[in-house]
Amino acid sequence: MNLREAVLRARETGDYSSILPHIPYADFLGIRFERDPLGEGLIGHLPFAEHLIGNGRVGALHGGAIGALLEFTGTFNALHLSSALTIPKTISLTIEYVRQANFEDTFCRAELIRQGRRVTNLRVMAYQNDPTKLVAAANAHFLTEPVEGGEDQPG
Amino acid sequence: MDAEKKAQIGGFIQKFFIDGVPHNKAIGMRFLDISREYVRFALDYNPRFAGHPETGVIHGGVITAFMDSCSGAAVMSKIRGKSRAATLDLRIDYMKPAPPGETLLCEAQCYHTTRHIAFVRAETFIDSKDELIATSSATFALMPFDISKMQEAFTERSAKKDQA
């Protein structure tokens, strides 16, 4: 099964985690996706692992690992919202780091800001044990295959 | 900056900011060069970091970690390690995909600092800046080292471990 087939299958079954084995970097991080029980979107889940540590003395995960979780969650939600079979491309990502991410599992949810015909704008938010206490958030723009019914200009 | 000083600072950065940081070590970044203006890191290609199985293009997340770390090193060398630096925000623009097999270079410049904040811009490219892969702009919060607080956190963590 190639990536395209995996995406097609994920659309049918709703299980987006089945795409992950096809993405080497997602596998390296150990990221997973679950359907949001309260909404339409996908929740990213990054289980704690030693190789994600950024600062062992203060007990913090690496900002780059959190950044990757934010980006993956954006990519997968942009994919989920579009009808495309190719993985959306990141145009830009603006991350705010607001709290230290501890040695715990990290989760991430996305909120759609605007779905254009080619550009999807999302807000992604990462948290640990308390969903109301964000550790980081980002605004992300993704380039997707043209979406039917997406808003016209700009993007 | 003379060669001896460069090697000394470079060795320090490699030891504490790369090898001493598990995620940086896992990604395999390397210290390359330092001057008064910039810090340069290198990142060799690894198929494990591909974001797409068929094209082998590196995932943006790796570039985020790479640029964040190189920018952080630029801050630390600018303030000569006098405080701890934590990323406040980081904006990355992706110009074009990183071709598989190529070593990426990142050059970060900490162009301004205040008492509490450092401002950094960085570029990731292949051989020269004519071939830009990504650019970034970041701010870091500068926090004085507080030994008592660090000890407190350490004790708390050990206590948690004992409970578990």
Side-chain angles (χ1 to χ4, degrees):
Chain A
M1 188 162 57
N2 64 25
L3 183 63
R4 214 179 160 82
E5 286 162 358
V7 173
L8 195 62
R9 195 149 159 212
R11 287 205 183 286
E12 283 164 4
T13 61
D15 175 20
Y16 281 78
S17 283
S18 61
I19 303 174
L20 296 169
H22 296 270
I23 304 176
Y25 184 57
D27 201 44
F28 167 81
L29 290 173
I31 206 164
R32 297 176 210 156
F33 279 97
E34 288 137 28
R35 291 299 287 265
D36 184 350
L38 303 171
E40 285 288 292
L42 301 169
I43 305 260
H45 176 188
L46 182 69
F48 170 72
E50 293 276 333
H51 70 287
L52 305 177
I53 294 173
N55 191 326
R57 273 185 321 184
V58 300
L61 295 183
H62 198 289
I66 300 297
L69 172 67
L70 291 164
E71 185 171 341
F72 263 121
T73 307
T75 311
F76 271 68
N77 277 283
L79 177 71
H80 180 51
L81 289 162
S82 78
S83 49
L85 292 180
T86 54
I87 304 284
K89 287 179 182 157
T90 315
I91 301 166
S92 73
L93 185 70
T94 309
I95 308 171
E96 295 120 48
Y97 293 97
V98 292
R99 283 188 187 87
Q100 173 175 314
N102 298 319
F103 291 177
E104 292 168 23
D105 289 13
T106 314
F107 300 88
C108 189
R109 64 172 187 270
E111 194 180 290
L112 179 69
I113 305 290
R114 178 178 177 271
Q115 169 96 70
R117 241 175 63 75
R118 294 208 57 115
V119 178
T120 306
N121 183 333
L122 292 159
R123 174 92 178 145
V124 277
M125 292 152 278
Y127 52 91
Q128 295 193 311
N129 54 11
D130 182 351
T132 63
K133 286 197 168 144
L134 300 183
V135 293
N139 262 85
H141 287 91
F142 296 96
L143 190 67
T144 55
E145 274 178 22
V147 177
E148 267 176 54
E151 272 182 52
D152 279 337
Q153 299 299 324
Chain B
M1 207 180 281
D2 60 43
E4 196 184 324
K5 182 105 184 173
K6 275 191 183 194
Q8 189 196 350
I9 300 175
F12 184 84
I13 291 176
Q14 180 75 42
K15 186 173 170 197
F16 291 100
F17 292 102
I18 299 180
D19 298 340
V21 177
H23 191 63
N24 290 351
K25 208 174 170 204
I27 286 176
M29 52 183 99
R30 309 183 262 124
F31 168 81
L32 207 64
D33 191 18
I34 186 167
S35 77
R36 264 185 218 297
E37 284 79 41
Y38 62 74
V39 171
R40 279 187 175 186
F41 277 14
L43 181 69
D44 296 317
Y45 182 75
N46 183 335
R48 289 183 75 192
F49 304 148
H52 197 288
E54 282 131 37
T55 61
V57 163
I58 291 286
H59 191 271
V62 189
I63 295 173
T64 306
F66 185 44
M67 296 186 91
D68 182 33
S69 300
C70 190
S71 298
V75 174
M76 293 312 276
S77 62
K78 176 96 172 187
I79 62 170
R80 296 159 192 243
K82 275 183 277 196
S83 339
R84 197 160 82 79
T87 321
L88 279 178
D89 70 29
L90 173 69
R91 177 195 166 110
I92 302 192
D93 292 307
Y94 296 97
M95 317 281 110
K96 70 169 204 181
E102 298 280 357
T103 294
L104 299 180
L105 306 180
C106 180
E107 182 178 303
Q109 185 190 17
C110 176
Y111 59 93
H112 187 75
T113 55
T114 67
R115 222 149 59 89
H116 301 292
I117 308 289
F119 300 84
V120 192
R121 51 180 162 239
E123 287 163 316
T124 292
F125 49 96
I126 309 273
D127 292 312
S128 77
K129 288 193 196 168
D130 296 336
E131 248 185 300
L132 280 182
I133 300 297
T135 61
S136 71
S137 168
T139 53
F140 286 78
L142 304 178
M143 296 171 290
F145 285 113
D146 187 338
I147 301 290
S148 63
K149 227 177 199 174
M150 262 155 68
Q151 270 169 343
E152 215 171 84
F154 180 78
T155 324
E156 201 178 295
R157 214 165 54 238
S158 318
K160 259 191 201 164
K161 239 183 214 168
D162 290 343
Q163 276 175 14

